[in-house]
């Protein structure tokens, strides 16, 4: 049974924290990002013994990151069911802020699988092969999810208006 | 701008910076979870043991009571029959004296 030394754990943190934070935030910018980052690294610490080196360490870490984001999103959806009234009063906002809201909502309306594929591909630059490894799906499925996500997101951008040119 | 660049432009939001003591916060969280895990384990074992003892007592106590009752009844019967016997003997000893 492998044990993670503290100095190795710190090395893992220094190497991957930035990207973990970026992935979590881009998947859901309304999340409690600091809390989720901590949770990811706690999971890494606790489950390092079960890491079998079938994939690279980075892939394994990003897999934990994506799963943590998905779990957080599900919990949020569960609790938002009980929020009957949501106040959205406020000052009038600039058009770009309104458009960004529309885009954010459009992105949120994608399923977590499609949103994850889109974000990891376009923002983090993962190849289809890397995505397949992180998400534990076939490359064909990655391509299909990306194709659908891109189509849906483009239609959201078109509805949001023209300032995205 | 082509589609890929449009998508990238909208997805690439600036990331909020990490707090300075994030690594320390992670270590403290790990430590807290470890302690909570031990605490929960102790409670779990205590509750489990208590439950088992409760079930055992629930099953065994009626049996013990029943046995006690049976033993007492048996003892009472024996005592009664001894007393009957002794009394009869006592009475018959008087009758023998009378005939004498």
């Amino acid at each position: 049974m492998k044990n993670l030394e503290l100095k190795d754990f710190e090395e893992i943190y220094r190497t991957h924290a930035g990207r973990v934070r970026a992935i979590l935030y881009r998947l859901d910018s309304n999340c409690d990002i600091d809390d989720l980052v901590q949770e990811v690294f706690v999971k890494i610490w606790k489950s390092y013994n079960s890491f079998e080196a079938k994939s690279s360490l980075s892939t394994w870490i990003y897999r934990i990151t994506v799963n943590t984001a998905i779990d957080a999103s599900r919990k949020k959806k569960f609790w938002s069911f009980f929020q009957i009234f949501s106040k959205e009063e406020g000052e009038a906002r600039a058009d770009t802020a309104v458009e960004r809201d529309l885009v954010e909502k459009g992105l949120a309306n994608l399923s977590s699988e499609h949103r994850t594929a889109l974000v990891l591909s376009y923002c983090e630059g993962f190849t289809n092969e890397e995505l397949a490894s992180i998400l534990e799906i076939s490359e064909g499925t990655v391509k299909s999810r990306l194709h659908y996500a891109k189509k849906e997101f483009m239609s959201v951008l078109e509805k949001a208006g023209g300032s995205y040119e | 701008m082509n589609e890929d660049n449009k998508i990238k432009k909208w997805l690439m939001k600036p990331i909020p910076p990490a707090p300075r003591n994030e690594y320390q916060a992670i270590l403290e969280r790990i430590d807290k979870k470890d302690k909570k895990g031990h605490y929960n384990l102790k409670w779990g074992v205590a509750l489990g043991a208590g439950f088992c003892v409760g079930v055992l007592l629930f099953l065994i106590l009626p049996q013990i009571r029943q046995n006690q009752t049976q033993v007492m009844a048996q003892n009472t019967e024996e005592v009664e029959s001894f007393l009957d016997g002794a009394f009869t003997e006592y009475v018959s000893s008087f009758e023998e004296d009378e005939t004498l």
Side-chain angles (χ1 to χ4, degrees):
Chain A
M1 202 156 96
K2 304 184 289 295
N3 279 322
L4 190 54
E5 299 285 337
L6 210 54
K7 60 175 169 49
D8 295 329
F9 181 64
E10 188 172 354
E11 182 61 35
I12 288 173
Y13 170 77
R14 302 276 170 229
T15 311
H16 294 97
R19 211 166 188 190
V20 164
R21 176 170 274 270
I23 291 172
L24 289 170
Y25 188 71
R26 292 196 170 117
L27 285 175
D28 182 4
S29 55
N30 293 322
C31 67
D32 183 350
I33 184 76
D34 295 336
D35 180 67
L36 286 185
V37 169
Q38 286 180 24
E39 205 174 308
V40 166
F41 282 95
V42 169
K43 283 181 184 176
I44 290 169
W45 173 265
K46 286 198 168 300
S47 51
Y48 186 77
N49 289 335
S50 64
F51 172 56
E52 289 170 355
K54 285 182 186 168
S55 59
S56 70
L57 182 64
S58 304
T59 301
W60 179 71
I61 288 170
Y62 300 135
R63 192 178 299 143
I64 291 176
T65 306
V66 166
N67 289 338
T68 304
I70 291 172
D71 288 344
S73 171
R74 280 190 189 137
K75 270 186 206 163
K76 232 166 74 170
K77 273 190 185 149
F78 175 77
W79 287 113
S80 71
F81 176 76
F82 296 99
Q83 289 165 6
I84 302 169
F85 305 107
S86 64
K87 294 176 189 171
E88 289 199 18
E89 299 159 15
E91 297 167 8
R93 291 179 293 168
D95 286 344
T96 48
V98 170
E99 275 164 16
R100 185 155 270 287
D101 267 353
L102 286 169
V103 171
E104 295 283 346
K105 279 180 185 157
L107 192 60
N109 280 339
L110 286 175
S111 73
S112 61
E113 289 89 8
H114 292 111
R115 187 168 61 249
T116 304
L118 194 71
V119 164
L120 292 183
S121 174
Y122 281 89
C123 300
E124 299 304 316
F126 287 113
T127 62
N128 288 349
E129 194 188 337
E130 286 168 330
L131 276 178
S133 186
I134 292 170
L135 302 175
E136 294 180 301
I137 52 178
S138 68
E139 273 188 59
T141 308
V142 167
K143 285 179 190 166
S144 153
R145 284 187 190 177
L146 277 174
H147 174 75
Y148 177 86
K150 187 176 161 181
K151 202 175 90 176
E152 285 299 303
F153 194 62
M154 281 310 300
S155 79
V156 164
L157 291 183
E158 277 155 24
K159 283 177 196 162
S163 74
Y164 57 79
E165 289 288 341
Chain B
M1 198 193 285
N2 70 14
E3 282 185 350
D4 285 350
N5 287 339
K6 284 176 197 171
I7 292 172
K8 210 169 171 176
K9 182 194 161 186
W10 278 94
L11 289 179
M12 295 289 281
K13 308 171 251 223
I15 312 294
R20 272 191 200 166
N21 59 349
E22 185 175 66
Y23 181 62
Q24 197 52 42
I26 290 168
L27 293 180
E28 281 168 17
R29 193 159 166 162
I30 289 170
D31 193 44
K32 214 192 267 183
K33 280 215 173 202
D34 277 345
K35 283 186 184 148
K36 194 179 168 192
H38 288 135
Y39 186 70
N40 285 347
L41 185 66
K42 281 182 194 167
W43 267 107
V45 167
L47 278 171
F51 178 75
C52 290
V53 167
V55 165
L56 276 170
L57 285 174
F58 181 75
L59 292 172
I60 291 172
L61 269 177
Q63 283 293 324
I64 294 172
R65 274 216 184 124
Q66 201 176 1
N67 287 349
Q68 271 182 349
T69 312
Q70 279 176 352
V71 164
M72 271 176 62
Q74 205 174 346
N75 286 349
T76 311
E77 266 180 44
E78 283 174 3
V79 165
E80 279 177 357
S81 95
F82 171 77
L83 287 176
D84 276 346
F87 183 70
T88 311
E89 229 181 272
Y90 180 69
V91 167
S92 47
S93 71
F94 276 109
E95 285 171 357
E96 278 175 18
D97 285 344
E98 277 180 16
T99 46
L100 283 173

